[in-house]
Amino acid sequence: MAYQINLSLILVLTIVSVCLPWPSLSVDPTPLQDFCIADLESKSPIINGFPCKKPADASSKDFFFEGLTKRGNEFDTLNVNLTQVDVFAFPALNTLGMSMNRVEFLPGGLNPPHTHPRATELSLVVEGKLLAGWVSTEYILYWKVVSAGELFVIPPGMVHFQLNVGEGRAQFYASFNSQNPGISKMAPTLFDSIPLIPDDVLSTAFNLNDSVIQLIKSKVAHLGR
Ligand code: GLV
Ligand code: MN
């Protein structure tokens, strides 16, 4: 009898633990030491993250980043300047599960529909007015015009965008719960991949003629990734 109760208990506990959310599966793993400054040049085998540079070689300057002190001066074809402060730009972020982007907009600038496959985005607008929106897996668009001092949040992996709807420049800082959130832009993912997705896949998916797909591909190629 006791044996039977134990077996049922183990079964229930197993089911409950499988159903409970496992934070370590949805965010970067927690660190196992104070810090692990990424050795981006390491020749060791590829691992999840980067090997640490020797702690004895660390200095204060490893923990500072000055790349956001100046405004960006190069804007892309959509009038946006993106400064990514991820583990590649700031190796001290390795294993810390955080990073930041600054996105600057000229008037009319668009940060086009994209996702961050490995992170939630929490953003603070510091200048101008942005129309920020994201689409849920139920295909519902949530959007709002956000101004300086206001925050918006994009749940992990959701397609989102920001459009400068103010008169002048706009700017926001995005924080991420990943050292390497990644960016997948929708337009190049679908229409400018390497190699290209075959026309008939896209013409069937979008219910369009191949000629329209070819036109979209050529327009997207001009935008750049
Ligand atoms: C914000 O949406 C960003 O891509 O940094
Ligand atoms: Mn984003």
Side-chain angles (χ1 to χ4, degrees), residues 13-108:
L13 287 177
T14 310
I15 292 170
V16 168
S17 67
V18 166
C19 294
L20 279 175
W22 269 26
S24 59
L25 291 183
S26 56
V27 295
D28 288 11
T30 49
L32 301 177
Q33 61 274 307
D34 281 358
F35 61 85
C36 168
I37 297 164
D39 179 356
L40 299 177
E41 308 301 324
S42 168
K43 301 279 180 296
S44 77
I46 304 289
I47 58 163
N48 191 20
F50 291 97
C52 316
K53 110 180 192 185
K54 281 200 201 85
D57 294 341
S59 73
S60 299
K61 79 176 179 5
D62 284 311
F63 299 98
F64 290 88
F65 180 83
E66 293 170 343
L68 293 174
T69 49
K70 293 193 184 74
R71 270 188 183 264
N73 48 17
E74 280 179 17
F75 287 81
D76 65 16
T77 49
L78 299 180
N79 288 327
V80 161
N81 174 290
L82 169 67
T83 309
Q84 284 175 271
V85 191
D86 56 14
V87 67
F88 300 99
F90 190 8
L93 295 179
N94 192 38
T95 75
L96 299 184
M98 304 177 85
S99 59
M100 184 173 272
N101 283 355
R102 180 183 64 194
V103 192
E104 295 170 275
F105 300 75
L106 293 177

Side-chain angles (χ1 to χ4, degrees), residues 195-209:
L196 288 167
I197 298 177
D199 290 350
D200 47 355
V201 171
L202 294 169
S203 57
T204 306
F206 287 89
N207 195 17
L208 291 169
N209 294 331

Side-chain angles (χ1 to χ4, degrees), residues 159-178:
V159 175
H160 62 283
F161 57 85
Q162 298 92 11
L163 173 68
N164 182 1
V165 290
E167 301 284 307
R169 285 189 176 219
Q171 190 180 164
F172 74 91
Y173 286 83
S175 55
F176 300 95
N177 60 340
S178 171

Side-chain angles (χ1 to χ4, degrees), residues 86-175:
D86 56 14
V87 67
F88 300 99
F90 190 8
L93 295 179
N94 192 38
T95 75
L96 299 184
M98 304 177 85
S99 59
M100 184 173 272
N101 283 355
R102 180 183 64 194
V103 192
E104 295 170 275
F105 300 75
L106 293 177
L110 172 70
N111 193 19
H114 64 278
T115 72
H116 304 287
R118 293 177 284 276
T120 303
E121 172 178 327
L122 175 63
S123 293
L124 170 67
V125 179
V126 293
E127 180 182 11
K129 242 187 218 179
L130 290 163
L131 189 161
W134 65 276
V135 179
S136 74
T137 56
E138 305 290 325
Y139 305 106
I140 296 170
L141 170 68
Y142 297 92
W143 67 275
K144 181 139 175 39
V145 173
V146 271
S147 305
E150 295 177 343
L151 295 166
F152 60 90
V153 66
I154 313 289
M158 298 293 151
V159 175
H160 62 283
F161 57 85
Q162 298 92 11
L163 173 68
N164 182 1
V165 290
E167 301 284 307
R169 285 189 176 219
Q171 190 180 164
F172 74 91
Y173 286 83
S175 55

